[in-house]
Structure formats: C-alpha cells, structure tokens
C-alpha cells in the first residue's frame, strides 16, 4: 500500500511539474509576442510607393570592366631589411595598357 501511495504522489508531482513548465513556456511566448509588437511599433514605417528611390533620368548604370595588372612588391636594398608602410604603393593593382581580354585556345589550357 505504501508503494502505491508513493507512485501516485510521484505521478501527481510529475504532472504538476509538466503543468508548471508548460505555463512558464506559454508565459514566455506571450511576453515575446508582446515585446515584438512593441519593437515593431517603435521602428520607422515602411516607405510608400512614391518614397522609394527611382532610376536617374539617364537610365540604369551599367557595370564596366577593365584588365588589371598586379604591382610588384619593391625589393629591399640589403639582407635583413624590411619595407615600411610608406615604401609600399597604395594599390595592389593598376590598369593595364592592353585592354584586350586573353582568349583560350581550344584544348590547350593556355591563354594566347
């Protein structure tokens, strides 16, 4: 008889624990929804149709492409010396004198 009462009280305690846990989860979800609504109200409104940016009168801007060449890293004068930042160039590449794109020979794997 004692084991039956213990089992019943453990089952009741488990059910109460599940109920309390469920109430905590429901309370957290309600709080999260209310907090989300509060944040949404404080944000700026979505722009209307006339407020969006428009294309310039000249039309859409097109991308441009150019062939670039890498700048060589300058060499130091003696062994053990190092380059300081002011001795380096400002850009890693420069515009190439030849703007024709290299073409591939069929089946060779090399550009001509």
């Amino acid at each position: 008889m004692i084991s039956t009462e213990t089992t019943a009280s453990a089952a009741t305690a488990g059910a109460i624990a599940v109920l309390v846990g469920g109430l905590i989860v429901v309370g957290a979800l309600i709080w999260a929804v209310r907090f989300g609504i509060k944040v949404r109200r404080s944000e700026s409104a979505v722009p209307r149709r006339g407020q969006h940016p428009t294309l310039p009168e000249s039309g859409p801007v097109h991308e441009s492409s150019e062939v670039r060449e890498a700048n060589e890293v300058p060499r130091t004068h003696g062994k053990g010396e190092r380059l300081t930042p002011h001795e380096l160039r400002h850009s890693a590449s420069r515009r190439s004198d030849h703007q024709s794109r290299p073409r591939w020979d069929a089946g060779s794997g090399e550009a001509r």
Side-chain angles (χ1 to χ4, degrees), residues 38-80:
K38 181 181 172 184
V39 168
R40 186 100 188 246
R41 283 185 181 156
S42 67
E43 293 176 348
S44 60
V46 176
R48 302 282 179 234
R49 182 179 297 260
Q51 297 173 332
H52 287 282
T54 58
L55 285 175
E57 292 180 11
S58 60
V61 178
H62 299 286
E63 71 177 56
S64 63
S65 62
E66 62 182 16
V67 179
R68 309 277 300 171
E69 289 181 357
N71 281 335
E72 295 294 325
V73 176
R75 302 282 180 198
T76 57
H77 300 294
K79 193 163 183 108

Side-chain angles (χ1 to χ4, degrees), residues 68-102:
R68 309 277 300 171
E69 289 181 357
N71 281 335
E72 295 294 325
V73 176
R75 302 282 180 198
T76 57
H77 300 294
K79 193 163 183 108
E81 292 183 23
R82 64 185 181 99
L83 294 174
T84 56
H86 71 276
E87 294 173 317
L88 297 174
R89 293 184 180 89
H90 68 281
S91 178
S93 64
R94 63 180 188 278
R95 191 172 193 275
S96 175
D97 294 333
H98 305 287
Q99 289 298 308
S100 61
R101 290 178 40 201

